[in-house]
Amino acid sequence: MAPAGDVPAFLAALAAGADAIYLGLKHFSARMQAENFSISQLSRLANLAHDRNARVYVAMNTLLKPGDPEAAGRLLDRLNRLVRPDAIIVQDLGLVNLARQTGFSGEIHLSTLANLTHGAALRAAAELGASRVVLPRELSLDEIKMLAASCPAGLDLEVFVHGALCYCVSGRCWWSSWLGGKSGLRGRCVQPCRRLYRQGPKGKPERLFSCLDLSLDVLARPLQDVPRVQAWKIEGRKKGPHYVYYTVKAYRLLRDEGNTPEARKTALSLLDQALGRPRTHAGFLPQRPHKPVDRSQETGSGLFLGTLKRETAKAGGRPITRISFQSREELLPGDLLRLGYEDEPWHRTVKVRQHVPKRGRLDLRPEKGLPAPPAGGAVFLVDRREPELARAIAELERVVVSSGPLREEAASEFRPSLPAPAPRRRSQFRTLCRVLPKSRLDGEPALWLEPKALHTLPPRMAARVQWWLPPVIWPEEEARCVEAVDSLRRKGARDFVCNAPWQIALFPERKGLEFTAGPFCNISNALALEELRAMGFGSAYVSPELPAEDLLALPGQSPLPLHIVLKGLWPLGLSRHLADGVHLEEPLRSPMNEVFWVRRIGQNHWVYPNWELDLSPHKAELEKAGYSCLLTIREFWPKTVPHSDRQGRFNWSLRLL
């Protein structure tokens, strides 16, 4: 499976022999920084792909806000009529509902952002009507085999084999959104994890959260023997055609001829030419795991070409600064260069205008409005148009043009059928803790389903407590989670919060139980809530990243009683990774001097800011809007981490992008 962020990348994927291409539209795509595709443009490209026996998958994998279902439904209706893609890739349950309402004819694939991480989740996906699940990038080969063994008939698995790694688990990152309304769950991530952070008062700035690129390369071969794994996925919808072409060629070679040393050597050479970041196998081999975060390495993409020089000369009696570098590689007209790293203020992308021989000099023009690059700044080759690739793309472009003019994008008259809102309930209060405190709680108690809480709780209290499942359950944690749930049920527990919709499948016997979809489910629209109701949920928490307008509107649209996180520590994200030398529960400072800290809980590392989410000044508004439960999250605060007086309203007063 090849990524495509624009037409040249799409054609490069076909030229390299991709079996399938996945891409996004101009709206509702989790890679909105890519150029993406219009419906009319995609209709011709999809015809070309189908003529060459390649499948086309459209990623509509963002969260839908309360006002989005109508526009998303019209787009899906037009997509189905004019393009007829083989599948859509979604994370939001509301889009599953819209696919059903529009009569979408392709398959439904659940994105890695939907966070299906254990065997029971796959059974829930099949019951929902999904044909494929995209697995998390954090899984080892053994864990993939465990999930494949649990995979029901009719459901396929898709595994990432190459491309960028996010620091946080997909669907469990609010970092970009928390710092300024640009939501990764809606395709607008500004990648704060790629920035420089300092540890301790005298620590130097380092890339403590910036991951290398995943590259399974020759290790991908064992996946061919894993039942249900039907697709090798290459990440990179923001990358150029050069990257797409070389990665697809490499993995096709590994799949088809990877038993020979010559093929493996050639494939690795092709990946070296793909201009990605430094590569890692991450945790794919459990007996030889690699750290995907390496503090000693820069993690910018591209091939390093050299460093900048600044020279001052006089012209017309005035000093003029010239900036140049000597290239370690031959440069071709049309090549793209990146100067510096994306978090440096002088960072920019430059197009090469003329041929530059190896060890030749290239002079760079100053750009208005941008600071001048410093001497010693790094230069990288990030995309190029070598003759072979340029000819292949041009040939396919001629085929597309000869197929006729672009079709006009016919309007859609689709209007979604929305569920009736649930009757209002009187608001109650609840407090969520790790262990039951001795002090009095604000409202009813809730506890995380963790060993310490289970061992310290008096048996008679189990029935009074609402039990919260973790936001991520990895394959080998599933059995222990089921065992803990069964133990609690025997003690009278009846009230459970699932922090992924699929966790309800951990309860095959549901009679007499109450289920709430937790805030980590990222629920943000009425159609997703309708799907939750059909799955067996009796209430749900709204996503805390929504702005005030949406938070106040959604209870009046919801078919389920709605709850909200009112106050407490909300994580920036959850990660399975931790760089060597990063100290848990110690302050880490961002380039803006914001303080964060990391806590390990189970197999995951929770990254927290040193200020709380606090919507308590708006408590009366939220009660009036119809929220039936307002939650306070109580966490242990590390002694070494200072408390900030920053007001944590998340996106309350922002426009969520």
Side-chain angles (χ1 to χ4, degrees):
M1 278 185 65
D6 57 22
V7 173
F10 188 103
L11 299 177
L14 284 180
D19 302 296
I21 302 170
Y22 70 101
L23 49 90
L25 301 173
K26 300 289 186 182
H27 304 282
F28 304 111
S29 164
R31 290 291 183 272
M32 292 306 296
Q33 297 95 331
E35 183 178 321
N36 293 320
F37 298 81
S38 68
I39 294 283
S40 56
Q41 189 180 50
L42 184 55
S43 65
R44 297 201 305 182
L45 292 170
N47 288 338
L48 176 67
H50 290 151
D51 287 345
R52 283 159 171 72
N53 297 316
R55 294 163 69 83
V56 175
Y57 305 143
V58 175
M60 295 184 69
N61 54 342
T62 62
L63 288 188
L64 302 183
K65 294 197 297 183
D68 286 341
E70 185 167 324
R74 290 198 301 268
L75 183 62
L76 185 56
D77 178 46
R78 289 163 48 223
L79 180 71
N80 191 39
R81 288 188 287 110
L82 299 176
V83 178
R84 300 187 72 82
D86 299 279
I88 55 170
I89 306 168
V90 304
Q91 67 159 313
D92 194 305
L93 292 175
L95 273 159
V96 177
N97 185 289
L98 286 171
R100 200 179 297 128
Q101 289 197 42
T102 58
F104 179 69
S105 57
E107 297 177 351
I108 304 293
H109 295 180
L110 293 176
S111 167
T112 187
L113 287 160
N115 198 246
L116 289 97
T117 58
H118 55 89
L122 301 180
R123 296 191 290 275
E127 291 173 5
L128 189 71
S131 301
R132 179 177 293 180
V133 165
V134 186
L135 295 181
R137 281 165 275 197
E138 291 82 2
L139 295 177
S140 70
L141 176 60
D142 288 353
E143 290 173 321
I144 293 170
K145 290 178 178 178
M146 289 176 66
L147 292 181
S150 302
C151 196
L155 187 72
D156 292 335
L157 302 178
E158 182 174 301
V159 176
F160 282 94
V161 295
H162 197 92
L165 285 170
C166 292
Y167 180 75
C168 292
V169 178
S170 290
R172 297 294 177 263
C173 184
W174 303 270
W175 206 326
S176 177
S177 184
W178 179 257
L179 297 182
K182 295 181 179 179
S183 171
L185 297 173
R186 287 177 58 81
R188 299 287 186 180
C189 181
V190 297
Q191 297 185 316
C193 59
R194 298 285 182 193
R195 298 173 186 168
L196 295 165
Y197 292 83
R198 290 180 291 115
Q199 182 173 237
K202 297 182 180 180
K204 66 177 182 178
E206 297 178 276
R207 300 193 188 277
L208 302 179
F209 304 105
S210 186
C211 290
L212 309 175
D213 271 8
L214 176 67
S215 180
L216 297 189
D217 46 72
V218 297
L219 299 184
R221 289 279 299 171
L223 291 172
Q224 288 184 287
D225 300 323
V226 180
R228 316 307 311 169
V229 173
Q230 295 297 308
W232 293 3
K233 187 169 193 171
I234 297 167
E235 187 278 340
R237 282 196 281 146
K238 293 196 293 180
K239 295 291 185 74
H242 177 98
Y243 167 90
V244 172
Y245 184 74
Y246 279 95
T247 51
V248 170
K249 288 189 75 170
Y251 282 98
R252 274 194 64 95
L253 188 60
L254 286 168
R255 186 194 65 183
D256 298 340
E257 303 175 37
N259 285 326
T260 67
E262 295 81 7
R264 292 196 292 270
K265 183 178 179 180
T266 302
L268 289 172
S269 174
L270 290 168
L271 292 176
D272 287 339
Q273 297 177 61
L275 306 178
R277 291 186 180 89
R279 306 198 299 269
T280 176
H281 294 149
F284 185 71
L285 288 184
Q287 67 274 28
R288 284 193 290 126
H290 292 180
K291 287 278 187 181
V293 182
D294 186 345
R295 296 164 61 183
S296 67
Q297 287 205 60
E298 296 286 3
T299 55
S301 60
L303 177 67
F304 178 70
L305 294 178
T307 56
L308 297 171
K309 293 182 179 180
R310 290 169 63 96
E311 301 171 306
T312 302
K314 285 191 175 181
R318 292 184 301 175
I320 293 178
T321 299
R322 292 196 176 99
I323 300 170
S324 65
F325 76 97
Q326 186 180 50
S327 179
R328 296 183 177 188
E329 302 288 338
E330 179 186 23
L331 298 179
L332 306 174
D335 285 353
L336 288 182
L337 309 182
R338 191 186 76 246
L339 310 186
Y341 296 93
E342 291 184 1
D343 54 0
E344 293 176 316
W346 53 274
H347 160 267
R348 69 197 65 171
T349 302
V350 175
K351 180 176 280 190
V352 176
R353 303 294 178 183
Q354 75 273 354
H355 175 263
V356 178
K358 187 174 182 178
R359 298 189 183 88
R361 167 175 164 151
L362 180 66
D363 292 309
L364 301 173
R365 302 173 184 173
E367 294 188 36
K368 287 185 178 180
L370 290 175
V379 182
F380 299 89
L381 176 65
V382 293
D383 192 24
R384 78 179 324 173
R385 298 291 187 273
E386 59 271 71
E388 177 191 356
L389 176 57
R391 283 193 298 271
I393 291 175
E395 182 180 336
L396 289 172
E397 282 178 333
R398 285 192 290 272
V399 175
V400 172
V401 171
S402 67
S403 67
L406 288 174
R407 296 171 62 183
E408 291 191 15
E409 294 194 17
S412 170
E413 297 181 358
F414 173 79
R415 296 291 182 272
S417 175
L418 299 175
R424 293 198 170 195
R425 296 181 181 178
R426 183 179 178 182
S427 297
Q428 61 169 312
F429 298 90
R430 194 177 289 277
T431 300
L432 172 64
C433 308
R434 297 286 171 186
V435 296
L436 199 64
K438 295 179 181 178
S439 59
R440 185 179 176 184
L441 294 176
D442 182 12
E444 295 299 311
L447 289 174
W448 287 101
L449 189 68
E450 295 176 1
K452 192 172 182 180
L454 295 171
H455 295 154
T456 58
L457 188 74
R460 58 184 175 81
M461 285 291 295
R464 285 192 51 197
V465 170
Q466 184 183 66
W467 293 95
W468 283 54
L469 277 66
V472 182
I473 299 173
W474 298 109
E476 65 272 24
E477 296 176 320
E478 181 176 2
R480 292 195 296 274
C481 186
V482 170
E483 183 180 344
V485 165
D486 289 344
S487 173
L488 285 170
R489 290 187 62 182
R490 289 192 296 270
K491 295 174 183 177
R494 293 289 179 268
D495 193 353
F496 294 92
V497 174
C498 299
N499 276 298
W502 331 106
Q503 292 176 357
I504 199 169
L506 296 169
F507 300 82
E509 298 294 331
R510 301 173 193 171
K511 187 175 180 180
L513 303 183
E514 296 180 34
F515 296 102
T516 300
F520 294 87
C521 292
N522 300 318
I523 299 302
S524 55
N525 62 82
L527 293 180
L529 287 156
E530 178 68 4
E531 292 299 305
L532 289 176
R533 183 171 69 170
M535 293 174 75
F537 288 95
S539 57
Y541 279 85
V542 67
S543 168
E545 79 164 338
L546 289 175
E549 179 184 7
D550 296 324
L551 288 174
L552 297 175
L554 196 50
Q557 304 171 9
S558 174
L560 293 175
L562 270 194
H563 310 330
I564 192 169
V565 179
L566 182 70
K567 191 178 189 308
L569 274 174
W570 183 261
L572 301 173
L574 279 70
S575 176
R576 219 176 182 186
H577 313 309
L578 188 70
D580 287 332
V582 172
H583 302 303
L584 297 174
E585 317 223 0
E586 295 284 344
L588 305 165
R589 296 186 182 273
S590 77
M592 303 296 291
N593 213 33
E594 300 146 324
V595 175
F596 307 127
W597 53 282
V598 183
R599 169 169 286 162
R600 184 179 174 91
I601 302 170
Q603 294 187 23
N604 296 311
H605 299 93
W606 296 49
V607 184
Y608 285 108
N610 76 329
W611 66 95
E612 291 189 335
L613 168 65
D614 187 4
L615 299 182
S616 53
H618 308 285
K619 177 169 145 302
E621 291 175 80
L622 294 167
E623 289 184 276
K624 184 178 179 182
Y627 283 97
S628 59
C629 181
L630 286 76
L631 178 78
T632 296
I633 301 176
R634 190 184 289 186
E635 291 282 357
F636 300 111
W637 200 285
K639 293 180 181 179
T640 59
V641 177
H643 289 247
S644 171
D645 58 2
R646 180 169 175 167
Q647 190 176 23
R649 297 194 298 174
F650 214 158
N651 293 317
W652 179 269
S653 57
L654 299 177
R655 176 179 173 265
L656 181 66
L657 296 179

